[in-house]
C-alpha cells in the first residue's frame, strides 16, 4: 500500500489532554507534524493523585483547544486529513468519553474515517513511529498506570507475557516520594536522591522474584519503605537527609532488580518466537530512570537484543502515538462507526489472564 495517510490523534485517558497530527508515506519514516500535550499536574497536585472528575472536566474544556493548536502547528486543516484516531480506552472513563465524543463529532462533520485506539497499543506501537521497528518485538510498558510485557506481533496482535498484579512501578515511586516528603511526580525526585544514597543499607524485598513467569508486584515495597522510615523515626525522632537518600537508593535498587530479572525472563519467552532481528522497546515515564534504563541496556547488550527507547516525550502520554496507532490500524483494515464506545478496561491481549487491582491512574488493563 503506497497511500500517504495523515491522521489527527486525540488522547484524554488520564491526566494529559493531547492532540497531534502524524503523516506517513510507506517506505519513508513517519512524520509528527504536530504534537500538543496539555498536562493537568497542577489541578491534581493537592490531592496526591489524579481525581477522575477533575480530569474529565479539564479534558472537556481543553480538548478542542488542543485540536486547534495541533492543526495550526501542523499547518493543515481538517480537509487535509485522512482520518481521526482517538483513545477509546482503557482509562478514566470521563476523560475517554470526552475524547471519543469529540472524535465522533469531528468525523460526523467531515466524513473522515474514525479509528478507536487502545491507549496501550499507542504506547506499544511507538517504537515503529520513532524507529520503524519491525514486528515481532518485545515491549516493556512501565509507567504510573501500566506495567506489562507484550510481544507486538502486528498492529492488531499483541501477546501479553506478564505484568504487575498490583501497583505500577511509577505509582510506587510516587508513593515513596510522598512518604519521604519529596515532590510529585515522585520518580525523578526519588532518582535524584537515590543517586546520593547507599542502596545496600536497607534490605527491601524483591517481590515475586523467586516465582516463575513475568508477573511482578510492587505494592509490598512501599509498605517495607514505610516500616523502615517509621523505625528510623521511632529510633531517632526523625530521618536525616542521608537516611532519605539511602531509603530512595534501596527502593530504586529493589524496583530495578525486579524489572531487570523479569525482563530477562520475558526475553527468553520472546526468543522462542525466533525473531530475525530481536529487540526490546520500552515506553512509559519510568523508562526515563537512568538506573533502570542502564541495566536494561546492559541486559539487551548481553542478550543480543537491540534496545529501543523512544524520546521521553513519546514514551509518556501523548497523541502522536494515538495518531500513529490509528494509521497502523486503518492500514490493517480497522475502522469504527458511531457505535464506538469508551472503555474503562480494555486488555490488549484478550486471551491473557485479567489483572487484578486498580492503580492511582485508573483501572489496570
Ligand atoms: O508515562 P507517564 O508519564 O504517565 C502514566 O503513568 O501514564 O508516567 C508517569 C510516571 C510517574 O509515576 C512518574 O513518577 C514516573 O513515571 N517517572 C519516573 C521517572 N520519571 C517519571 N519513575 C522513575 N524514575 C524516573 N526518572
Ligand atoms: Zn499511558
Amino acid at each position: 500500500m503506497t497511500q500517504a495517510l495523515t491522521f489527527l490523534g486525540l488522547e484524554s485517558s488520564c491526566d494529559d489532554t493531547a492532540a497531534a497530527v502524524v503523516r506517513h508515506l510507506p517506505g519513508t519514516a513517519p512524520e509528527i507534524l504536530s504534537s500538543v500535550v496539555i498536562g493537568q499536574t497542577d489541578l491534581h497536585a493537592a490531592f496526591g493523585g489524579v481525581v477522575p472528575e477533575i480530569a474529565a472536566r479539564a479534558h472537556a474544556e481543553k480538548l478542542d483547544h488542543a485540536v486547534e493548536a495541533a492543526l495550526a502547528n501542523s499547518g493543515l486543516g481538517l480537509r487535509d486529513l485522512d482520518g481521526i484516531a482517538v483513545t477509546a480506552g482503557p482509562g478514566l472513563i470521563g476523560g475517554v468519553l470526552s475524547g471519543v465524543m469529540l472524535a465522533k463529532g469531528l468525523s460526523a462533520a467531515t466524513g473522515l474515517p474514525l479509528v478507536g485506539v487502545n491507549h496501550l497499543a499507542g504506547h506499544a506501537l511507538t517504537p515503529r513511529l520513532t524507529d520503524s521497528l519491525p514486528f515481532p518485538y518485545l515491549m516493556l510498558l512501565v509507567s504510573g498506570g501500566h506495567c506489562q510485557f507484550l510481544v507486538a506481533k502486528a498492529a492488531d496482535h499483541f501477546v501479553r507475557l506478564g505484568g504487575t498484579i498490583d501497583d505500577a512501578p511509577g505509582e510506587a515511586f510516587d508513593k515513596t516520594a510522598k512518604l519521604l516528603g519529596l515532590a510529585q511526580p515522585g520518580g525523578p525526585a526519588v532518582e535524584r536522591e537515590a543517586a546520593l544514597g547507599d542502596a545496600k543499607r536497607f534490605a527491601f524485598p524483591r517481590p515475586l522474584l523467586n516465582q516463575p513467569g513475568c508477573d511482578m508486584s510492587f505494592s509490598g515495597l512501599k509498605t517495607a519503605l514505610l516500616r523502615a522510615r517509621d523505625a528510623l523515626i521511632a529510633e531517632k525522632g526523625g530521618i536525616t537527609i542521608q537516611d532519605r537518600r539511602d531509603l530512595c537508593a534501596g527502593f530504586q535498587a529493589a524496583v530495578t532488580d525486579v524489572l531487570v530479572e523479569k525482563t530477562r525472563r520475558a526475553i527468553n519467552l520472546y526468543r522462542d518466537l525466533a525473531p530475525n532481528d530481536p529487540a526490546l522497546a520500552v515506553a512509559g515515564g519510568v523508562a526515563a530512570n537512568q538506573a533502570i534504563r542502564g541495566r536494561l541496556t546492559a541486559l539487551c547488550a548481553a542478550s543480543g537484543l537491540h534496545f529501543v527507547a523512544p524520546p521521553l516525550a513519546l514514551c509518556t502520554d501523548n497523541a502522536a502515538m494515538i495518531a500513529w496507532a490509528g494509521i497502523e490500524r486503518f492500514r490493517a483494515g480497522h475502522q469504527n462507526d458511531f457505535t464506538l464506545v469508551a472503555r474503562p478496561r480494555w486488555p490488549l491481549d484478550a486471551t491473557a489472564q485479567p489483572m487484578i487491582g486498580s492503580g492511582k491512574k485508573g483501572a489496570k488493563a
Side-chain angles (χ1 to χ4, degrees), residues 119 123 146 317:
H119 177 85
H123 280 302
H146 330 292
D317 287 352

Side-chain angles (χ1 to χ4, degrees), residues 164-180:
T164 183
I165 60 166
D166 42 53
D167 291 353
E171 201 173 349
F173 269 97
D174 293 341
K175 284 176 182 163
T176 293
K178 203 171 169 193
L179 289 172
L180 297 177

Side-chain angles (χ1 to χ4, degrees), residues 11 13-14 16 90 119-120 123 141 143-146 284-285 315-318 321 361:
E11 158 61 36
S13 65
C14 187
D16 290 302
H119 177 85
L120 302 171
H123 280 302
L141 292 184
S143 71
H146 330 292
C315 274
T316 55
D317 287 352
N318 67 88
M321 70 179 189
K361 295 197 170 179

Side-chain angles (χ1 to χ4, degrees), residues 7-364:
F7 266 55
L8 171 70
L10 305 180
E11 158 61 36
S12 54
S13 65
C14 187
D15 57 350
D16 290 302
T17 310
V21 179
V22 173
R23 171 178 286 160
H24 184 229
L25 174 64
T28 66
E31 260 184 288
I32 300 173
L33 302 182
S34 64
S35 180
V36 174
V37 179
I38 305 173
Q40 304 178 354
T41 310
D42 295 351
L43 296 180
H44 304 286
F47 304 98
V50 177
V51 183
E53 290 76 12
I54 294 177
R57 195 173 314 140
H59 288 305
E61 280 169 8
K62 294 279 164 57
L63 257 172
D64 49 354
H65 298 289
V67 169
E68 276 171 18
L71 287 172
N73 294 352
S74 71
L76 300 181
L78 283 170
R79 77 183 70 80
D80 302 311
L81 301 175
D82 299 301
I84 294 170
V86 61
T87 299
L92 299 173
I93 194 65
V96 181
L97 267 170
S98 300
V100 168
M101 294 308 288
L102 178 58
K104 284 183 184 175
L106 288 171
S107 172
T110 57
L112 289 169
L114 173 70
V115 182
V117 168
N118 183 311
H119 177 85
L120 302 171
H123 280 302
L125 293 170
T126 298
R128 293 172 57 74
L129 169 65
T130 57
D131 293 76
S132 302
L133 200 60
F135 296 119
Y137 54 88
L138 178 63
M139 186 78 211
L140 169 59
L141 292 184
V142 61
S143 71
H146 330 292
C147 182
Q148 52 186 302
F149 294 106
L150 295 163
V151 177
K153 291 186 151 186
D156 52 1
H157 189 188
F158 301 91
V159 177
R160 190 178 176 290
L161 301 179
T164 183
I165 60 166
D166 42 53
D167 291 353
E171 201 173 349
F173 269 97
D174 293 341
K175 284 176 182 163
T176 293
K178 203 171 169 193
L179 289 172
L180 297 177
L182 296 167
Q184 296 291 324
V190 171
E191 181 177 10
R192 270 193 302 276
E193 296 291 304
L196 303 167
D198 172 8
K200 299 219 162 57
R201 180 168 158 208
F202 297 97
F204 289 124
R206 270 67 173 157
L208 299 190
L209 210 57
N210 297 324
Q211 293 192 20
C214 304
D215 281 344
M216 294 165 277
S217 163
F218 296 100
S219 70
L221 257 176
K222 65 170 187 289
T223 316
L225 184 114
L226 177 66
R227 284 215 191 93
R229 184 202 70 171
D230 288 351
L232 289 170
I233 294 173
E235 189 190 319
K236 321 189 274 196
I239 63 169
T240 64
I241 289 174
Q242 194 56 46
D243 290 337
R244 183 158 79 178
R245 290 172 177 165
D246 295 344
L247 287 166
C248 286
F251 164 82
Q252 182 174 280
V255 173
T256 308
D257 280 354
V258 172
L259 279 173
V260 171
E261 171 56 21
K262 296 291 178 169
T263 304
R264 198 183 59 73
R265 293 185 202 174
I267 287 174
N268 288 339
L269 293 171
Y270 159 68
R271 270 195 193 290
D272 292 345
L273 300 171
N276 284 333
D277 195 6
L280 168 72
V282 290
V286 180
N289 186 288
Q290 291 302 321
I292 294 171
R293 196 179 267 242
R295 290 271 303 277
L296 291 175
T297 307
L299 174 66
C300 285
S303 317
L305 263 73
H306 181 44
F307 181 67
V308 178
L312 191 58
L314 295 172
C315 274
T316 55
D317 287 352
N318 67 88
M321 70 179 189
I322 303 303
W324 171 247
I327 289 175
E328 291 239 64
R329 278 189 70 75
F330 187 68
R331 287 221 169 98
H334 300 283
Q335 193 177 326
N336 293 92
D337 59 22
F338 297 133
T339 61
L340 175 68
V341 289
R343 299 174 62 173
R345 284 179 183 252
W346 185 1
L348 253 191
D349 177 356
T351 63
Q353 289 282 328
M355 298 312 295
I356 53 173
S358 178
K360 94 179 147 85
K361 295 197 170 179
K364 299 237 174 353

